[in-house]
Every structure is written in C-alpha cells, then in structure tokens.
Amino acid sequence: MFNPALLSYVSLMSVTPGPNNLMLAASGGNFGFRRSIPHLLGISIGHGIQVFIVGVLLAWVMSSINTVRPILGVFGCAYLLWLSWKIWKAGSPEGKEAAKPMSFLAAALFQWINPKAWVMVINTVILFLPAEQNSMFAAAGLAVLCALINLPCICIWAWLGDALRQHLLIPKILKLFNGMMASLMAITAFFLLHGELALLA
C-alpha cells in the first residue's frame, strides 16, 4: 500500500500551514515542545483514526459528504475563531496564567471539525485505498501509515514555536506573536468558512 506518492501527498498536506499547525506553533511558543506532545499525538493519532473510519465507511461517506461536510465545516470554522480568541488572550499575563496546552483528546476530536483535515483524509482514502482491498485491514494499514507520516511533519511547527520561546519571554513580543498566530488562524477560518458556505448555497 505504501508508495512515494502517498508519502509526498500526506507529508505536503501535513506540513503546510493550516489550523493544526498554527495551533502547534502557538502551543510551542507558549508552553514549549515537551508540553505540546499530547497535542501533537492527538493530531496524528486522531488523523489516523479519521483515515481508518473514513476508509471503512467510504461508500457511506461518499454518498453523504456533500451534506455532512459543509455542516461540520461551519462548526469547525466557528471553533477556529474561538481558538483564535483564546490564542490572542494568551498574550496577556492573566491569559497566560490560565492557559493550558490542548489535550490529546481535544486535539484528536478537533480533526473531525477541521475542514483541512477532512479534505486531506477524503483525498487520501480515495487516492490510496485500493478499491479491491476496501477492507478494515487495508484501512487500518493506511491509517497507521498516515499517522506515522503526519507526526514528524507537524512536529516542525511545535518545534519552531518552541525555538522562538526564549524571545517570547518578553511580554510585548509574546503578545505580538500570539496576535499574529491568532490573526492567521482567524483569516484561515474566514477563508474556509467562505468555502463551506458556498457549498451550502
């Protein structure tokens, strides 16, 4: 099942900017790489589980996706805007005290309302799950491969945030960094929301 095209596609989709990676950069900057590990694992394992379930239920997903995906996308964009606000608040001392890294479970569940994750998973299953082997075993194999490819790619973002962490000890710079991350995530949310609303129209 593994092939260079799969490695290339999943790596590219995993490493490019999106909601998960922007949150990881913010988490690495605010909490460090080590405290962001549950968030990292939640994304990769949640991604693998999503690939597995979509692979097993491919026929149902394909018949229902035009109805389900835009609705999940709207909820996902609303959640992204809420996360943008939380990241913005993390730049202030009172917000920093109350803030915690995203948990493993929250990161895994977020994949189900992350529009970029849905596009990535559906394309992966369509392109790389052999039709003649559309079984639970084949879906599980693809899911494990996707999670293993995804993890090192997203680690880059948490590491970059962590690398900037020493500079972020200065409150003004931390507030600027979090403001930039929050703004990029809000722009991403509005861009994705526009696409999802177009599908509902």
Side-chain angles (χ1 to χ4, degrees), residues 117-173:
W118 271 103
V119 170
M120 179 179 174
V121 167
I122 291 168
N123 285 342
T124 300
V125 169
I126 290 169
L127 294 170
F128 301 107
L129 186 66
E132 67 276 6
Q133 297 176 13
N134 193 2
S135 66
M136 193 171 289
F137 180 77
L142 182 62
V144 170
L145 282 173
C146 287
L148 290 175
I149 295 168
N150 173 263
L151 183 59
C153 294
I154 64 173
C155 279
I156 292 169
W157 287 83
W159 178 81
L160 284 172
D162 187 49
L164 293 172
R165 198 165 182 228
Q166 235 176 343
H167 301 291
L168 301 177
L169 294 174
I170 302 167
K172 286 183 180 178
I173 296 177

Short mmCIF file of all heavy atoms in Angstrom, two decimals, residues 117-173:
data_model
loop_
_atom_site.label_atom_id
_atom_site.label_comp_id
_atom_site.label_asym_id
_atom_site.label_seq_id
_atom_site.Cartn_x
_atom_site.Cartn_y
_atom_site.Cartn_z
N ALA A 117 -8.45 18.95 7.52
CA ALA A 117 -8.29 17.52 7.82
C ALA A 117 -9.26 16.69 6.98
O ALA A 117 -8.89 15.62 6.47
CB ALA A 117 -8.50 17.26 9.31
N TRP A 118 -10.50 17.17 6.83
CA TRP A 118 -11.48 16.43 6.02
C TRP A 118 -11.04 16.32 4.57
O TRP A 118 -11.12 15.25 3.96
CB TRP A 118 -12.86 17.10 6.10
CG TRP A 118 -13.67 16.57 7.24
CD1 TRP A 118 -13.90 17.20 8.43
CD2 TRP A 118 -14.33 15.32 7.31
NE1 TRP A 118 -14.68 16.40 9.24
CE2 TRP A 118 -14.96 15.25 8.58
CE3 TRP A 118 -14.47 14.24 6.44
CZ2 TRP A 118 -15.70 14.13 8.98
CZ3 TRP A 118 -15.21 13.13 6.84
CH2 TRP A 118 -15.82 13.10 8.10
N VAL A 119 -10.58 17.41 4.00
CA VAL A 119 -10.11 17.39 2.61
C VAL A 119 -8.96 16.40 2.47
O VAL A 119 -8.92 15.56 1.56
CB VAL A 119 -9.67 18.80 2.16
CG1 VAL A 119 -8.96 18.74 0.81
CG2 VAL A 119 -10.87 19.73 2.09
N MET A 120 -8.02 16.47 3.41
CA MET A 120 -6.84 15.60 3.37
C MET A 120 -7.23 14.13 3.49
O MET A 120 -6.77 13.28 2.72
CB MET A 120 -5.90 16.00 4.51
CG MET A 120 -4.64 15.17 4.62
SD MET A 120 -3.65 15.78 6.00
CE MET A 120 -2.35 14.56 6.04
N VAL A 121 -8.10 13.81 4.45
CA VAL A 121 -8.48 12.42 4.70
C VAL A 121 -9.27 11.83 3.53
O VAL A 121 -8.99 10.71 3.08
CB VAL A 121 -9.29 12.31 6.02
CG1 VAL A 121 -9.96 10.96 6.14
CG2 VAL A 121 -8.37 12.54 7.20
N ILE A 122 -10.24 12.57 3.05
CA ILE A 122 -11.07 12.05 1.95
C ILE A 122 -10.22 11.82 0.70
O ILE A 122 -10.31 10.76 0.05
CB ILE A 122 -12.26 12.97 1.66
CG1 ILE A 122 -13.24 12.90 2.83
CG2 ILE A 122 -12.97 12.59 0.36
CD1 ILE A 122 -14.30 13.97 2.82
N ASN A 123 -9.36 12.78 0.37
CA ASN A 123 -8.48 12.60 -0.79
C ASN A 123 -7.53 11.42 -0.60
O ASN A 123 -7.27 10.66 -1.53
CB ASN A 123 -7.68 13.88 -1.06
CG ASN A 123 -8.52 14.96 -1.68
OD1 ASN A 123 -9.59 14.70 -2.22
ND2 ASN A 123 -8.06 16.19 -1.60
N THR A 124 -6.99 11.27 0.61
CA THR A 124 -6.08 10.15 0.90
C THR A 124 -6.77 8.82 0.68
O THR A 124 -6.23 7.91 0.04
CB THR A 124 -5.54 10.25 2.35
OG1 THR A 124 -4.84 11.48 2.51
CG2 THR A 124 -4.61 9.09 2.66
N VAL A 125 -7.99 8.69 1.22
CA VAL A 125 -8.72 7.43 1.10
C VAL A 125 -9.08 7.15 -0.36
O VAL A 125 -8.91 6.03 -0.85
CB VAL A 125 -9.99 7.45 1.99
CG1 VAL A 125 -10.90 6.27 1.67
CG2 VAL A 125 -9.59 7.43 3.46
N ILE A 126 -9.55 8.17 -1.07
CA ILE A 126 -9.93 7.99 -2.48
C ILE A 126 -8.71 7.61 -3.32
O ILE A 126 -8.77 6.72 -4.16
CB ILE A 126 -10.59 9.27 -3.03
CG1 ILE A 126 -11.97 9.45 -2.40
CG2 ILE A 126 -10.73 9.20 -4.56
CD1 ILE A 126 -12.59 10.80 -2.68
N LEU A 127 -7.58 8.29 -3.08
CA LEU A 127 -6.40 8.09 -3.92
C LEU A 127 -5.58 6.86 -3.57
O LEU A 127 -4.98 6.24 -4.45
CB LEU A 127 -5.49 9.32 -3.85
CG LEU A 127 -6.05 10.62 -4.43
CD1 LEU A 127 -5.15 11.79 -4.07
CD2 LEU A 127 -6.20 10.50 -5.94
N PHE A 128 -5.55 6.49 -2.28
CA PHE A 128 -4.57 5.49 -1.86
C PHE A 128 -5.15 4.23 -1.22
O PHE A 128 -4.39 3.31 -0.91
CB PHE A 128 -3.56 6.13 -0.91
CG PHE A 128 -2.81 7.27 -1.53
CD1 PHE A 128 -3.09 8.58 -1.18
CD2 PHE A 128 -1.85 7.04 -2.51
CE1 PHE A 128 -2.41 9.63 -1.77
CE2 PHE A 128 -1.17 8.09 -3.11
CZ PHE A 128 -1.44 9.39 -2.74
N LEU A 129 -6.46 4.14 -1.03
CA LEU A 129 -7.04 2.90 -0.52
C LEU A 129 -7.50 2.08 -1.72
O LEU A 129 -8.45 2.47 -2.40
CB LEU A 129 -8.21 3.18 0.42
CG LEU A 129 -8.81 1.96 1.12
CD1 LEU A 129 -7.79 1.36 2.10
CD2 LEU A 129 -10.08 2.32 1.86
N PRO A 130 -6.84 0.97 -2.01
CA PRO A 130 -7.20 0.20 -3.20
C PRO A 130 -8.66 -0.27 -3.14
O PRO A 130 -9.09 -0.79 -2.12
CB PRO A 130 -6.24 -1.00 -3.16
CG PRO A 130 -5.12 -0.58 -2.27
CD PRO A 130 -5.73 0.37 -1.28
N ALA A 131 -9.38 -0.08 -4.23
CA ALA A 131 -10.81 -0.43 -4.27
C ALA A 131 -11.03 -1.91 -4.02
O ALA A 131 -11.96 -2.30 -3.33
CB ALA A 131 -11.40 -0.03 -5.63
N GLU A 132 -10.13 -2.73 -4.56
CA GLU A 132 -10.32 -4.18 -4.41
C GLU A 132 -9.96 -4.66 -3.00
O GLU A 132 -10.25 -5.78 -2.63
CB GLU A 132 -9.49 -4.95 -5.44
CG GLU A 132 -7.98 -4.85 -5.28
CD GLU A 132 -7.40 -3.59 -5.93
OE1 GLU A 132 -8.19 -2.74 -6.40
OE2 GLU A 132 -6.16 -3.46 -5.94
N GLN A 133 -9.30 -3.79 -2.23
CA GLN A 133 -8.95 -4.15 -0.86
C GLN A 133 -9.63 -3.22 0.14
O GLN A 133 -9.09 -2.90 1.18
CB GLN A 133 -7.43 -4.06 -0.67
CG GLN A 133 -6.65 -5.02 -1.52
CD GLN A 133 -5.16 -4.82 -1.35
OE1 GLN A 133 -4.70 -4.13 -0.45
NE2 GLN A 133 -4.38 -5.43 -2.24
N ASN A 134 -10.82 -2.77 -0.19
CA ASN A 134 -11.53 -1.82 0.67
C ASN A 134 -12.05 -2.54 1.91
O ASN A 134 -13.23 -2.77 2.08
CB ASN A 134 -12.66 -1.18 -0.12
CG ASN A 134 -13.23 0.02 0.61
OD1 ASN A 134 -12.75 0.39 1.68
ND2 ASN A 134 -14.26 0.61 0.04
N SER A 135 -11.12 -2.95 2.74
CA SER A 135 -11.46 -3.73 3.92
C SER A 135 -10.95 -3.02 5.16
O SER A 135 -10.20 -2.05 5.08
CB SER A 135 -10.81 -5.11 3.84
OG SER A 135 -9.41 -4.99 3.90
N MET A 136 -11.35 -3.55 6.30
CA MET A 136 -10.90 -2.99 7.57
C MET A 136 -9.38 -3.08 7.69
O MET A 136 -8.73 -2.16 8.17
CB MET A 136 -11.59 -3.71 8.71
CG MET A 136 -11.46 -3.03 10.05
SD MET A 136 -12.49 -3.79 11.32
CE MET A 136 -14.12 -3.30 10.78
N PHE A 137 -8.81 -4.18 7.21
CA PHE A 137 -7.35 -4.36 7.30
C PHE A 137 -6.62 -3.33 6.46
O PHE A 137 -5.64 -2.72 6.91
CB PHE A 137 -6.99 -5.78 6.84
CG PHE A 137 -5.52 -6.08 6.90
CD1 PHE A 137 -4.89 -6.34 8.11
CD2 PHE A 137 -4.76 -6.06 5.74
CE1 PHE A 137 -3.53 -6.60 8.17
CE2 PHE A 137 -3.39 -6.31 5.79
CZ PHE A 137 -2.78 -6.59 7.01
N ALA A 138 -7.07 -3.12 5.22
CA ALA A 138 -6.42 -2.14 4.34
C ALA A 138 -6.56 -0.74 4.90
O ALA A 138 -5.62 0.06 4.87
CB ALA A 138 -7.02 -2.22 2.94
N ALA A 139 -7.75 -0.42 5.44
CA ALA A 139 -7.98 0.91 6.02
C ALA A 139 -7.09 1.12 7.24
O ALA A 139 -6.55 2.21 7.45
CB ALA A 139 -9.45 1.08 6.38
N ALA A 140 -6.91 0.07 8.05
CA ALA A 140 -6.06 0.18 9.24
C ALA A 140 -4.61 0.41 8.83
O ALA A 140 -3.91 1.23 9.43
CB ALA A 140 -6.18 -1.09 10.09
N GLY A 141 -4.15 -0.29 7.80
CA GLY A 141 -2.78 -0.09 7.33
C GLY A 141 -2.55 1.32 6.82
O GLY A 141 -1.53 1.95 7.13
N LEU A 142 -3.51 1.84 6.05
CA LEU A 142 -3.40 3.21 5.54
C LEU A 142 -3.42 4.21 6.69
O LEU A 142 -2.67 5.19 6.70
CB LEU A 142 -4.54 3.50 4.56
CG LEU A 142 -4.53 4.88 3.91
CD1 LEU A 142 -3.28 5.08 3.06
CD2 LEU A 142 -5.78 5.06 3.05
N ALA A 143 -4.27 3.96 7.70
CA ALA A 143 -4.38 4.86 8.85
C ALA A 143 -3.06 4.95 9.61
O ALA A 143 -2.61 6.03 9.98
CB ALA A 143 -5.50 4.39 9.78
N VAL A 144 -2.42 3.80 9.84
CA VAL A 144 -1.15 3.78 10.57
C VAL A 144 -0.08 4.53 9.78
O VAL A 144 0.68 5.34 10.34
CB VAL A 144 -0.71 2.33 10.87
CG1 VAL A 144 0.72 2.29 11.40
CG2 VAL A 144 -1.66 1.68 11.88
N LEU A 145 0.00 4.27 8.48
CA LEU A 145 0.98 4.97 7.64
C LEU A 145 0.77 6.48 7.68
O LEU A 145 1.72 7.25 7.81
CB LEU A 145 0.89 4.47 6.20
CG LEU A 145 1.55 3.12 5.91
CD1 LEU A 145 1.23 2.68 4.49
CD2 LEU A 145 3.05 3.20 6.11
N CYS A 146 -0.49 6.91 7.57
CA CYS A 146 -0.79 8.35 7.58
C CYS A 146 -0.39 9.00 8.90
O CYS A 146 0.19 10.09 8.91
CB CYS A 146 -2.27 8.58 7.29
SG CYS A 146 -2.71 8.27 5.57
N ALA A 147 -0.68 8.32 10.01
CA ALA A 147 -0.32 8.87 11.32
C ALA A 147 1.20 8.97 11.46
O ALA A 147 1.72 9.96 11.98
CB ALA A 147 -0.91 8.01 12.43
N LEU A 148 1.92 7.94 10.97
CA LEU A 148 3.38 7.94 11.07
C LEU A 148 4.02 9.01 10.19
O LEU A 148 5.06 9.58 10.55
CB LEU A 148 3.92 6.56 10.70
CG LEU A 148 3.63 5.43 11.70
CD1 LEU A 148 4.10 4.09 11.16
CD2 LEU A 148 4.26 5.73 13.06
N ILE A 149 3.44 9.27 9.04
CA ILE A 149 3.96 10.33 8.16
C ILE A 149 3.62 11.70 8.72
O ILE A 149 4.43 12.63 8.70
CB ILE A 149 3.38 10.19 6.73
CG1 ILE A 149 3.86 8.88 6.09
CG2 ILE A 149 3.78 11.38 5.86
CD1 ILE A 149 3.11 8.52 4.81
N ASN A 150 2.41 11.83 9.27
CA ASN A 150 1.91 13.11 9.76
C ASN A 150 2.71 13.64 10.96
O ASN A 150 3.04 14.83 11.02
CB ASN A 150 0.43 12.96 10.14
CG ASN A 150 -0.15 14.17 10.81
OD1 ASN A 150 -0.24 14.24 12.04
ND2 ASN A 150 -0.58 15.14 10.02
N LEU A 151 3.07 12.75 11.90
CA LEU A 151 3.67 13.19 13.16
C LEU A 151 4.96 14.00 12.99
O LEU A 151 5.07 15.11 13.52
CB LEU A 151 3.88 12.00 14.10
CG LEU A 151 4.43 12.35 15.48
CD1 LEU A 151 3.50 13.31 16.22
CD2 LEU A 151 4.66 11.09 16.30
N PRO A 152 5.97 13.50 12.25
CA PRO A 152 7.19 14.33 12.12
C PRO A 152 6.94 15.64 11.39
O PRO A 152 7.63 16.64 11.66
CB PRO A 152 8.16 13.42 11.35
CG PRO A 152 7.33 12.34 10.76
CD PRO A 152 6.11 12.20 11.61
N CYS A 153 5.97 15.65 10.48
CA CYS A 153 5.68 16.89 9.74
C CYS A 153 5.11 17.97 10.65
O CYS A 153 5.52 19.13 10.57
CB CYS A 153 4.69 16.60 8.60
SG CYS A 153 5.36 15.51 7.33
N ILE A 154 4.20 17.59 11.53
CA ILE A 154 3.59 18.61 12.40
C ILE A 154 4.51 18.97 13.56
O ILE A 154 4.40 20.06 14.13
CB ILE A 154 2.20 18.18 12.90
CG1 ILE A 154 2.27 16.93 13.77
CG2 ILE A 154 1.25 17.99 11.72
CD1 ILE A 154 0.95 16.55 14.43
N CYS A 155 5.45 18.07 13.90
CA CYS A 155 6.42 18.38 14.96
C CYS A 155 7.22 19.63 14.62
O CYS A 155 7.63 20.38 15.51
CB CYS A 155 7.36 17.20 15.19
SG CYS A 155 6.68 15.90 16.23
N ILE A 156 7.43 19.86 13.33
CA ILE A 156 8.21 21.02 12.88
C ILE A 156 7.59 22.31 13.42
O ILE A 156 8.30 23.21 13.87
CB ILE A 156 8.28 21.05 11.34
CG1 ILE A 156 9.12 19.87 10.84
CG2 ILE A 156 8.83 22.38 10.84
CD1 ILE A 156 9.04 19.64 9.34
N TRP A 157 6.25 22.39 13.40
CA TRP A 157 5.57 23.61 13.82
C TRP A 157 5.69 23.85 15.33
O TRP A 157 5.94 24.97 15.76
CB TRP A 157 4.12 23.57 13.38
CG TRP A 157 3.99 23.77 11.91
CD1 TRP A 157 4.13 22.82 10.94
CD2 TRP A 157 3.75 25.00 11.23
NE1 TRP A 157 3.98 23.38 9.71
CE2 TRP A 157 3.75 24.72 9.85
CE3 TRP A 157 3.54 26.31 11.65
CZ2 TRP A 157 3.53 25.70 8.89
CZ3 TRP A 157 3.33 27.28 10.69
CH2 TRP A 157 3.33 26.98 9.33
N ALA A 158 5.53 22.77 16.11
CA ALA A 158 5.69 22.93 17.57
C ALA A 158 7.13 23.26 17.91
O ALA A 158 7.41 24.06 18.79
CB ALA A 158 5.24 21.65 18.28
N TRP A 159 8.08 22.64 17.17
CA TRP A 159 9.49 22.91 17.41
C TRP A 159 9.83 24.36 17.07
O TRP A 159 10.58 25.02 17.80
CB TRP A 159 10.35 21.95 16.58
CG TRP A 159 11.81 22.23 16.75
CD1 TRP A 159 12.62 21.82 17.79
CD2 TRP A 159 12.63 23.01 15.89
NE1 TRP A 159 13.90 22.30 17.60
CE2 TRP A 159 13.93 23.03 16.44
CE3 TRP A 159 12.39 23.69 14.69
CZ2 TRP A 159 14.99 23.71 15.84
CZ3 TRP A 159 13.45 24.36 14.10
CH2 TRP A 159 14.73 24.37 14.67
N LEU A 160 9.29 24.88 15.95
CA LEU A 160 9.54 26.27 15.58
C LEU A 160 9.01 27.22 16.65
O LEU A 160 9.67 28.20 17.01
CB LEU A 160 8.90 26.59 14.23
CG LEU A 160 9.62 26.05 13.00
CD1 LEU A 160 8.79 26.28 11.75
CD2 LEU A 160 10.99 26.70 12.84
N GLY A 161 7.81 26.93 17.14
CA GLY A 161 7.26 27.75 18.22
C GLY A 161 8.14 27.69 19.46
O GLY A 161 8.42 28.71 20.10
N ASP A 162 8.61 26.48 19.78
CA ASP A 162 9.47 26.29 20.94
C ASP A 162 10.80 27.03 20.76
O ASP A 162 11.35 27.60 21.71
CB ASP A 162 9.71 24.80 21.16
CG ASP A 162 10.46 24.51 22.45
OD1 ASP A 162 10.07 25.04 23.50
OD2 ASP A 162 11.46 23.78 22.41
N ALA A 163 11.33 27.01 19.53
CA ALA A 163 12.61 27.69 19.24
C ALA A 163 12.51 29.20 19.47
O ALA A 163 13.49 29.85 19.83
CB ALA A 163 13.04 27.39 17.81
N LEU A 164 11.32 29.73 19.27
CA LEU A 164 11.10 31.17 19.47
C LEU A 164 10.80 31.50 20.93
O LEU A 164 10.72 32.67 21.31
CB LEU A 164 9.93 31.65 18.61
CG LEU A 164 10.14 31.62 17.10
CD1 LEU A 164 8.83 31.93 16.38
CD2 LEU A 164 11.20 32.66 16.72
N ARG A 165 10.64 30.47 21.74
CA ARG A 165 10.12 30.66 23.10
C ARG A 165 10.96 31.61 23.94
O ARG A 165 10.43 32.40 24.71
CB ARG A 165 10.01 29.31 23.79
CG ARG A 165 9.11 29.34 25.00
CD ARG A 165 8.73 27.95 25.42
NE ARG A 165 7.83 28.05 26.56
CZ ARG A 165 7.97 27.36 27.66
NH1 ARG A 165 8.94 26.50 27.79
NH2 ARG A 165 7.11 27.50 28.64
N GLN A 166 12.28 31.54 23.81
CA GLN A 166 13.13 32.42 24.63
C GLN A 166 12.87 33.89 24.31
O GLN A 166 12.85 34.72 25.20
CB GLN A 166 14.60 32.08 24.40
CG GLN A 166 15.28 31.78 25.71
CD GLN A 166 16.71 31.35 25.53
OE1 GLN A 166 17.14 30.98 24.44
NE2 GLN A 166 17.44 31.40 26.61
N HIS A 167 12.64 34.17 23.04
CA HIS A 167 12.33 35.54 22.65
C HIS A 167 10.95 35.95 23.15
O HIS A 167 10.68 37.14 23.33
CB HIS A 167 12.38 35.68 21.12
CG HIS A 167 13.72 35.30 20.55
ND1 HIS A 167 14.86 36.05 20.75
CD2 HIS A 167 14.10 34.24 19.80
CE1 HIS A 167 15.88 35.47 20.15
NE2 HIS A 167 15.45 34.37 19.56
N LEU A 168 10.09 34.93 23.37
CA LEU A 168 8.71 35.22 23.76
C LEU A 168 8.56 35.45 25.27
O LEU A 168 7.46 35.65 25.75
CB LEU A 168 7.79 34.07 23.32
CG LEU A 168 7.78 33.79 21.81
CD1 LEU A 168 6.90 32.59 21.50
CD2 LEU A 168 7.34 35.00 21.02
N LEU A 169 9.69 35.40 25.99
CA LEU A 169 9.62 35.70 27.42
C LEU A 169 9.35 37.18 27.66
O LEU A 169 8.90 37.58 28.73
CB LEU A 169 10.93 35.29 28.11
CG LEU A 169 11.23 33.78 28.13
CD1 LEU A 169 12.60 33.52 28.70
CD2 LEU A 169 10.15 33.04 28.91
N ILE A 170 9.62 38.00 26.66
CA ILE A 170 9.32 39.43 26.75
C ILE A 170 7.84 39.60 26.46
O ILE A 170 7.37 39.23 25.37
CB ILE A 170 10.18 40.24 25.75
CG1 ILE A 170 11.67 39.99 26.02
CG2 ILE A 170 9.84 41.71 25.79
CD1 ILE A 170 12.58 40.45 24.92
N PRO A 171 7.06 40.12 27.41
CA PRO A 171 5.60 40.17 27.24
C PRO A 171 5.13 40.83 25.95
O PRO A 171 4.19 40.33 25.31
CB PRO A 171 5.14 40.97 28.47
CG PRO A 171 6.20 40.71 29.49
CD PRO A 171 7.48 40.60 28.73
N LYS A 172 5.76 41.91 25.52
CA LYS A 172 5.33 42.59 24.29
C LYS A 172 5.52 41.71 23.07
O LYS A 172 4.68 41.68 22.17
CB LYS A 172 6.10 43.92 24.12
CG LYS A 172 5.65 45.01 25.06
CD LYS A 172 6.40 46.29 24.77
CE LYS A 172 5.92 47.40 25.73
NZ LYS A 172 6.66 48.66 25.51
N ILE A 173 6.65 40.97 23.04
CA ILE A 173 6.92 40.08 21.90
C ILE A 173 5.95 38.89 21.92
O ILE A 173 5.45 38.46 20.89
CB ILE A 173 8.39 39.62 21.89
CG1 ILE A 173 9.31 40.82 21.69
CG2 ILE A 173 8.62 38.57 20.81
CD1 ILE A 173 10.78 40.51 21.72
#
